[in-house]
Structures are given as C-alpha cells and as structure tokens.
C-alpha cells in the first residue's frame, strides 16, 4: 500500500510561488504525475498556511524519481527555499537550500531527507 509524503515549500521571498512551481515540476514527470495532489494544510502539515503537496510513494523506484525531480527543481531555483517532507506518522525532514547549483550535492541532500521519511 503506498505511503503519502507531504511536501511543503516555504520560499524566502514571499512573492515567490514555489509551491505551485514544484507541483508543476513534479507533474511534468510521467512517473510522478498521477500521485501528486495539492491540498489545504491541516494542523499536522501547516507551515505558513499555504497549500501542501501530497505524493503517493509506492516503491523505492518512485522514491528515487522523487529525489531526482526535487533535486533538479531546487538547482533551477533562483530563490532560497525550504522544503519539508512529512509522513502521516509524523516523521519529517527539512531541506534549507540556498541558491543551489551543484546537482550532485543537492541530490545527496534530497536523497537523505527522503530516506529519512520514506516507507521502509
């Protein structure tokens, strides 16, 4: 049964629409498209009142696709962002990325964060 990872994005610049940008980026990948939904935050997922993304993760392959997609998105951003990943059980990981440019470094960070919350 797939787990759902909640993804919240908080841009350092209030005018940036990072959440919508990441949702579009993930939906552009055929392997993730059907699993991405946008929902209003709950008490457990609320970060700053913005909508959160939910992504169904069914296997290790999907987790790696998510890692690569988020890392790629982060290296294409011009703003600083914080990405928070949360599982329904409450385990979470947070990435604070400052104008990332090194894809390998960002991929390693995202992979560590996703592994921290991904289903075993």
């Amino acid at each position: 049964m797939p787990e759902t990872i909640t993804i919240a994005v908080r841009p350092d610049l209030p005018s940036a629409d990072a959440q919508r940008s990441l949702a579009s980026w993930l939906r552009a990948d055929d392997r993730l498209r059907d699993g991405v939904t946008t929902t209003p935050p709950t008490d457990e997922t609320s970060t700053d009142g913005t909508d959160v993304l939910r992504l169904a993760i069914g296997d290790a392959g999907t987790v790696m696709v998510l890692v690569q997609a988020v890392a790629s998105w982060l290296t294409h951003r011009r703003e600083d962002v914080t990405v928070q990943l949360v599982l329904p059980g409450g385990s979470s990981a947070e990435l604070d990325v400052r104008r990332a440019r090194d894809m390998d470094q960002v991929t390693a960070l995202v992979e560590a964060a996703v592994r921290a919350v991904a289903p075993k």
Side-chain angles (χ1 to χ4, degrees):
M1 180 172 176
E3 288 279 349
T4 300
I5 293 181
T6 299
I7 305 170
V9 181
R10 295 184 307 273
D12 285 355
L13 300 174
S15 63
D17 196 355
Q19 193 83 353
R20 189 173 307 155
S21 172
L22 179 57
S24 294
W25 192 275
L26 295 176
R27 286 184 184 118
D29 190 310
D30 292 338
R31 298 163 294 180
L32 298 175
R33 176 178 297 129
D34 294 336
V36 178
T37 58
T38 305
T39 59
T42 64
D43 289 340
E44 293 139 9
T45 62
S46 181
T47 54
D48 62 358
T50 60
D51 290 351
V52 294
L53 299 175
R54 295 190 187 279
L55 180 63
I57 300 294
D59 57 33
T62 307
V63 171
M64 287 312 300
V65 172
L66 174 63
V67 166
Q68 293 167 349
V70 172
S72 179
W73 177 78
L74 287 168
T75 57
H76 286 87
R77 301 292 301 166
R78 292 193 177 150
E79 302 88 14
D80 298 338
V81 294
T82 301
V83 177
Q84 181 183 34
L85 306 169
V86 182
L87 275 181
S91 58
S92 67
E94 191 167 283
L95 295 161
D96 190 13
V97 180
R98 306 281 175 212
R99 293 177 183 87
R101 293 292 172 251
D102 182 341
M103 181 68 171
D104 291 335
Q105 182 180 29
V106 174
T107 300
L109 286 171
V110 175
E111 186 173 1
V114 170
R115 280 190 179 158
V117 299
K120 307 297 185 232

